[in-house]
Amino acid sequence: MSRILSSVVVLSALTYACQRDWDTFTHRKHQHQDATISKLHKRAKVEYPPSLTETESILLNSFDNTSISDWSYYYTHGDHLGSHNKTMAEWTAQKWRDAGFESHLVEIPIWVTYPEHSSLTLLRSDGSRHDVNLNEDVLEEDETSSYPNRIPAFHAMSGSGDVEGECVYVGFVQFHSQKDRGHGCANRHRRGTQADFKVLQDAGIELKGKIAMANYGGIYRGTKVKNAQGHGMAGCIIFTDPLDDGEITEENGYVAYPNGPARNPSSIQRGSVRFSSIYSGDPTTVGWASSVDSPRGDVSQYNPSIPSIPISMKDALPFLEALQGHGVTAKEANRSGWTGGFRNITYDSGPAPGVHVHLNHSMRGSIEPVWDVIGVINGTSSAEVVIVGNHRDAWVIGGAADPNSGSAILIELAGAFGKLLKKGWKPRRTIVLGSWDAEEFGLQGSTEWVEANLPWLTSTAVAYLNLDIGVSGPRTAFSGSGEIQMFVVEQMKKILFPEGWGEFPTLYDMWYNVSEGEILPLGSGSDYASFYQNGIGCIDIGSDGGKTDPIYHYHSNYDSYAWMARFGDPGFKLHATIGQWLSLILYHIADDVLIPWDLPHAAAVLKQYLSELKDTVAESDFPDLDISPIEYAIKEFEKQAEHISTVASQASAFNDTVLVDVVNSKYRDFSRGFASAGGLPGRETFKNVISAPGIDNGYGADVFPPVTDSLSKRDEKEAVKWVGKSAGAVLRAAEVLRVGG
Ligand SMILES: *[C@@H]1O[C@H](CO)[C@@H](O)[C@H](O)[C@H]1NC(C)=O
Ligand SMILES: *[C@@H]1O[C@H](CO)[C@@H](O)[C@H](O)[C@H]1NC(C)=O
Ligand SMILES: *[C@@H]1O[C@H](CO)[C@@H](O)[C@H](O)[C@H]1NC(C)=O
Ligand SMILES: *[C@@H]1O[C@H](CO)[C@@H](O)[C@H](O)[C@H]1NC(C)=O
Ligand SMILES: *[C@@H]1O[C@H](CO)[C@@H](O)[C@H](O)[C@H]1NC(C)=O
Ligand SMILES: *[C@@H]1O[C@H](CO)[C@@H](O)[C@H](O)[C@H]1NC(C)=O
Ligand SMILES: *[C@@H]1O[C@H](CO)[C@@H](O)[C@H](O)[C@H]1NC(C)=O
Ligand SMILES: *[C@@H]1O[C@H](CO)[C@@H](O)[C@H](O)[C@H]1NC(C)=O
Ligand SMILES: [Zn+2]
């Protein structure tokens, strides 16, 4: 216990330093927390200006900021919440077709939820009331903020209920670290206790039947609701706190959107509250593809049963004021992140006598069609396929960053490859583009497509490349599988970084500045999840804002074209840059004679994860757990990786096409070994023994997750079993790599 407490002090300093990373940039921020540092990339000297092949130049030169802006404009001016907009899917298919991709729609019936009625009212002791606005303010400067069909703020997969009761502020509702090795923004929140609740319970505050008031940040929103529900609370309100915004706040003198870079106080973060660390996709068909006549299961184990609702900073203030002076004070709570960013609020827990909250929220669940768009260029060989995907559905009319910065980039990318096609080019490997629907509810469009096409993907997929928030600011973001990392980093060196964002001549320079060479493992924050969990190598790329960049109104009605054009990426040059990067990655994977993997680097990444696991074991209740089987398996993997890498160089040096084909098929297949057939304990659709979302935080990735999970559950027997199974998985991958006798 004392160890837990002592780490909290150290953590609190880090918490503030890294606050911005946590909450504003969800898709990527997951990876800024709770993840392994893999400092395997030393700063390299970059050739400037970069030299390019003729084909590379054609691809890069075909990215035009003005046409990207046009595509962005189209995507951001109509309701396209999951299942709402077939026209937009058809438009996307036509654009890809125009570029030369064979394109079609795939209609999938999935379970969706939508609010029928929501209201939230604060009832004060003096009889006065405050009715919360579940829509952002209409701004003259932001045309889509006034659309009559704009989407109210809600939590997908929330429970329903008409509940009234006292309100308790519960902080981040966060699990706290038992360890902190001082690695800055990563590695902060490993397993631990629900310490925020414990503080309240220790102070004798009854939680049962009360309504939780939690701030966004730290952990995935659905886990907050899950934790509140687990403590018998009747409902959950999650608010945006100014602490999320680091330096860029009105209190620090920055003007709020639309006239400045600070957060508009009425902005609300929508989002799904499904239990994301235990399943992806349609919760009525977990583990199989949704179709018109597929069997459908009960969703209750996968989603919260209590009602929850997101609210704005502006509407949170009266609640916090009403609790002021009651319950546990922030000082008594003594918890990192407990005191938020409202300077005159003391963040007391309440409950306050006579102060009630009335949350009346009814969600309707139904099966509705959603539309993935699939575009294909056949390769000369159909045995190897590379897939590039981005979701199309957005929480709001706009979605200029999430996800349609990515969607606009994909159209421009299709056009770039169209230029090559017109010159008679045909890739060696088949290229598949995916525009996924219904990602925001829980990765439905991509997961169901993967489930429906699994045998084909398992036998042909070389890699899946994901782009979600292509641009919400200038800071390059990248995470992904070990074998792909070096090659993806190399492509950054060929791309000039646009001016106006500091002294960064190439994309590589910007990336290195942001990451210091750190590449994090994959969790479950976007559509790569089901590919990766089935043993397909993946990357996830894009760019975010940093501490001093304009506030990105994540999942808010102000994630709009107007915001993007004025603050996020004026001139749409960052969009072009990310698109150029992705086009080189795709081009080389699809067309290089030898698939450009670096297997020795994959081994180095595994070794890094192993050292992380060693630390986890050392600090667990079972420090003597023998993980040498995994260590041995990684040694074996390393040996085969070195060997195949030598064979690969020779095969290409001697133009030995038979051997090149052998190597390529092994590069394509080896990572399937990482997928454990029966799935990870308690979550059978998560299969990758190398990394998976942390059970407790739902965003960040744990390495060797089944071992880690067993340790958290204090189940030594299961930990031993999963050391064996994880070692077996690494050995399977090593065995696939083995060339010759
Ligand atoms: C807050 O907690 C830390 C360690 O967890 C402890 O050292 C410190 O005394 C506590 N402060 C107060 C005011 O209780
Ligand atoms: C679908 O999106 C397009 C483009 O944004 C928009 O023009 C159209 O009105 C939307 N359709 C619906 C049904 O909202
Ligand atoms: C809750 O909302 C429903 C409408 O969905 C309404 O019929 C009901 O009266 C409301 N409950 C209260 C207590 O206001
Ligand atoms: C706190 O400050 C806000 C403005 O930032 C003001 O509206 C509010 O009344 C203040 N609350 C208290 C309790 O002083
Ligand atoms: C691409 O390959 C598929 C499957 O082999 C085939 O059905 C399709 O007609 C091909 N498309 C073109 C344009 O050759
Ligand atoms: C990143 O860039 C900033 C501003 O140019 C500079 O102060 C900082 O030292 C750089 N950091 C790294 C790790 O290169
Ligand atoms: C594209 O870039 C050019 C040159 O910098 C600029 O003049 C133009 O306004 C940009 N287009 C858009 C739509 O921002
Ligand atoms: C390699 O071999 C293939 C077919 O065997 C041939 O078409 C190609 O030109 C050769 N490439 C080189 C660099 O020798
Ligand atoms: Zn997204």
Side-chain angles (χ1 to χ4, degrees), residues 598-638:
D598 184 335
L599 267 297
H601 182 77
V605 169
L606 287 180
K607 279 166 45 186
Q608 196 94 43
Y609 294 172
L610 175 68
S611 79
E612 174 81 3
L613 178 65
K614 279 184 180 160
D615 292 341
T616 303
V617 169
E619 290 163 40
S620 75
D621 293 341
F622 309 104
D624 298 328
L625 179 74
D626 178 15
I627 56 168
S628 64
I630 298 181
E631 199 161 359
Y632 168 80
I634 293 175
K635 280 214 183 80
E636 179 60 22
F637 183 91
E638 188 179 23

Side-chain angles (χ1 to χ4, degrees), residues 350-374:
V355 174
H356 273 214
V357 165
H358 179 198
L359 170 60
N360 190 357
H361 184 50
S362 59
M363 295 285 284
R364 188 174 59 89
S366 57
I367 305 286
E368 304 291 344
V370 302
W371 303 276
D372 289 342
V373 184
I374 301 295

Side-chain angles (χ1 to χ4, degrees), residues 202-223:
D202 288 352
I205 290 174
E206 176 72 44
L207 296 174
K208 222 171 147 58
K210 306 264 193 306
I211 292 162
M213 175 92 185
N215 46 15
Y216 270 120
I219 57 170
Y220 164 64
R221 67 182 88 72
T223 307

Side-chain angles (χ1 to χ4, degrees), residues 163-176:
V163 293
E164 184 177 329
E166 288 182 325
C167 179
V168 180
Y169 170 65
V170 294
F172 278 150
V173 204
Q174 137 172 317
F175 290 80
H176 256 302

Side-chain angles (χ1 to χ4, degrees), residues 251 317 321 324 342-345:
E251 283 185 318
L317 198 54
E321 279 171 355
Q324 198 103 312
F342 287 118
R343 298 236 169 105
N344 62 354
I345 294 294

